[in-house]
Amino acid sequence: MSRDVAVDRVDVAVAGGGLIGLGIAWRCAQRGLSVTVVDVAPGSGASYAAAGMLAPVAEAGYGEERLLELCRASLASFPAFVAELERETGLEVGLRTAGTCVVGFDADDMAALDLLHAFQRELGLSSERITAREVRRREPALTPRLRGALHVGGDHSVDARALHAALLAAAMSAGVRVVRAEATALEVRDGRAAGLELAGGDVVTAGTVVLALGARSAGLPGVPPLPVRPVKGQVLRLRDASGLLEGTVRALVRGRHVYLVPCAGDRLIVGATVEEQGFGDTVTAGGVHDLLRDAIEVVPGVAELELVEALARPRPGTPDNAPILGTSPLPGLVLACGHHRNGVLLTPVTADAITELVVTGALPEVARPFTLDRLER
Ligand SMILES: Cc1cc2nc3c(=O)[nH]c(=O)nc-3n(C[C@H](O)[C@H](O)[C@H](O)COP(=O)(O)OP(=O)(O)OC[C@H]3O[C@@H](n4cnc5c(N)ncnc54)[C@H](O)[C@@H]3O)c2cc1C
């Protein structure tokens, strides 16, 4: 008996319906390709936990200059991407352009902020060093106990869950079929990726398979070895925060990192822990305690808010914190994974670059530094 009961025969099968997989599926369908997305629970992975910061300049890191360029390219295309999505779906995704304040508390925090500022200026990035008084003029809810700040006017944020809902709607109205099932293996025929095997035995056969399983990308049988690992993040959502903050606040609280991101409606997102714990979505008392302690120190009014959600998800980490984009050692298999802490920000650039690769066979210049072979070298 053949187990090859094809539920679909399509141009592109996308494994994973998080932000990355759906962005690619939408763009591929717009280019006239038939597309099926396979996801056991679309939008339940890291994309569900994300704070939605689009903050490449505030997060600029030494040794990550190439990643910074990719992130800035994606940020530049975000407003048009969002406008198109909102127009096509009628759904709002909560893009905020109020900028980011990065605040510090003690002398060491301020030394770290000065170093970050010097690095930003060296790279020609727009960032302003401001006093404690000036930052409190922008964000009056901040504690008077902070020492100083940077203001990055060009960093934005978006409601990641609303973005996912809009991408799902846009993809489906462009003709993408979403199969809610577990992919159990990559189908390989004659040395080529030929589709996805689903729990229950059905197979989606496809000319190209795009791997976008987030932190689970390395675990699908049949996929060549990939250096993608789970990096757990715990994050909180609080209610009744309307008007509390205008834009994102990132803080160094005597060496500890915390961020506060105002979100759609009256929500405030507080995050996030960074834990090398393997898979697991346990919320710990210590994780919640640390986040709340630091958030309340930065914005005392947080203590009055209602805590409505605490959750943990694995970020798809890679050895250099940058995504893996492009072809794989297996013909027919395209990689779009390992977006680590930047997957929301990198959704537009990933969608466009991978679609271009699928349609034309050529990966655009902006994505070329992020092929798998850079990690194998
Ligand atoms: C706490 C936290 C805060 C974050 N904050 C930000 C932020 O502010 N800004 C930013 O840019 N990024 C942020 N990130 C990172 C961002 O969330 C991720 O990089 C991004 O969501 C990755 O998207 P993805 O589609 O690759 O993966 P995911 O969203 O994890 O999607 C993978 C999908 O694959 C599905 N799946 C897995 N295995 C299978 C299988 N075998 N069969 C079928 N389906 C399967 C899952 O159901 C899931 O829907 C944050 C992450 C975390 C955890």
Side-chain angles (χ1 to χ4, degrees):
M1 189 183 75
S2 168
R3 59 174 173 72
D4 188 344
V5 184
V7 290
D8 253 340
R9 171 74 182 89
V10 286
D11 297 321
V12 186
V14 181
L19 286 168
I20 297 300
L22 285 182
I24 295 164
W26 180 42
R27 287 301 197 212
C28 282
Q30 286 179 319
R31 299 281 284 269
L33 300 175
S34 56
V35 185
T36 291
V37 172
V38 175
D39 195 310
V40 66
S44 62
S47 301
Y48 190 66
M53 289 176 293
L54 311 174
V57 176
E59 289 193 36
Y62 293 103
E64 296 185 357
E65 288 83 351
R66 286 189 313 185
L67 173 60
L68 175 69
E69 282 317 301
L70 187 72
C71 288
R72 291 183 72 207
S74 206
L75 181 63
S77 61
F78 229 101
F81 186 81
V82 160
E84 184 183 348
L85 251 188
E86 291 187 335
R87 201 172 49 243
E88 289 206 3
T89 63
L91 299 172
E92 289 189 6
V93 305
L95 182 67
R96 279 179 181 251
T97 55
T100 296
C101 294
V102 190
V103 305
F105 277 73
D106 65 12
D108 287 347
D109 296 343
M110 294 318 299
L113 290 199
D114 286 337
L115 278 174
L116 174 60
H117 190 225
F119 182 56
Q120 291 165 333
R121 287 168 59 103
E122 195 183 306
L123 296 175
L125 305 173
S126 179
S127 164
E128 196 188 350
R129 178 76 163 79
I130 57 177
T131 63
R133 182 177 299 211
E134 285 165 335
V135 73
R136 291 192 66 238
R137 210 174 294 135
R138 287 182 180 279
E139 299 284 4
L142 286 167
T143 175
R145 293 170 55 197
L146 57 86
R147 293 273 286 266
L150 302 180
H151 179 249
V152 182
D155 280 357
H156 306 332
S157 69
V158 71
D159 180 340
R161 291 181 185 175
L163 182 67
H164 185 274
L167 276 173
L168 185 60
M172 290 177 77
S173 75
V176 172
R177 177 160 181 223
V178 178
V179 175
R180 290 170 193 259
E182 185 190 356
T184 50
L186 185 69
E187 175 84 353
V188 180
R189 286 186 200 152
D190 303 326
R192 227 195 120 76
L196 293 168
E197 294 178 20
L198 311 187
D202 287 345
V203 177
V204 177
T205 59
T208 303
V209 179
V210 177
L211 185 73
L213 291 176
R216 303 239 170 229
S217 294
L220 189 69
V223 168
L226 288 177
V228 177
R229 69 182 198 284
V231 180
K232 179 178 167 182
Q234 300 186 50
V235 68
L236 311 175
R237 285 179 182 241
L238 300 103
R239 188 157 68 194
D240 298 334
S242 57
L244 191 66
L245 291 177
E246 191 61 29
T248 297
V249 171
R250 301 173 62 91
L252 259 180
V253 187
R254 288 177 284 285
R256 299 184 306 267
H257 293 266
V258 69
Y259 56 72
L260 300 90
V261 185
C263 190
D266 62 352
R267 300 297 155 110
L268 182 74
I269 301 175
V270 173
T273 65
V274 179
E275 303 166 57
E276 297 282 354
Q277 300 260 338
F279 286 103
D281 50 13
T282 309
V283 174
T284 63
V288 175
H289 169 265
D290 290 352
L291 291 173
L292 284 179
R293 177 198 57 210
D294 292 339
I296 290 169
E297 183 140 11
V298 178
V299 176
V302 167
E304 309 301 322
L305 306 181
E306 182 185 354
L307 177 62
V308 287
E309 201 178 334
L311 79 159
R313 288 291 185 275
R315 303 174 185 87
T318 62
D320 62 1
N321 300 329
I324 302 173
L325 306 174
T327 54
S328 74
L330 187 66
L333 178 67
V334 167
L335 307 173
C337 52
H339 289 73
H340 196 36
R341 58 177 201 262
N342 288 306
V344 184
L345 171 58
L346 292 174
T347 294
V349 79
T350 302
D352 290 342
I354 297 298
T355 300
E356 197 61 27
L357 174 64
V358 171
V359 172
T360 68
L363 191 66
E365 188 74 38
V366 68
R368 280 189 209 154
F370 302 97
T371 51
L372 176 62
D373 55 1
R374 79 177 190 280
L375 297 169
E376 292 171 339
R377 275 195 293 270

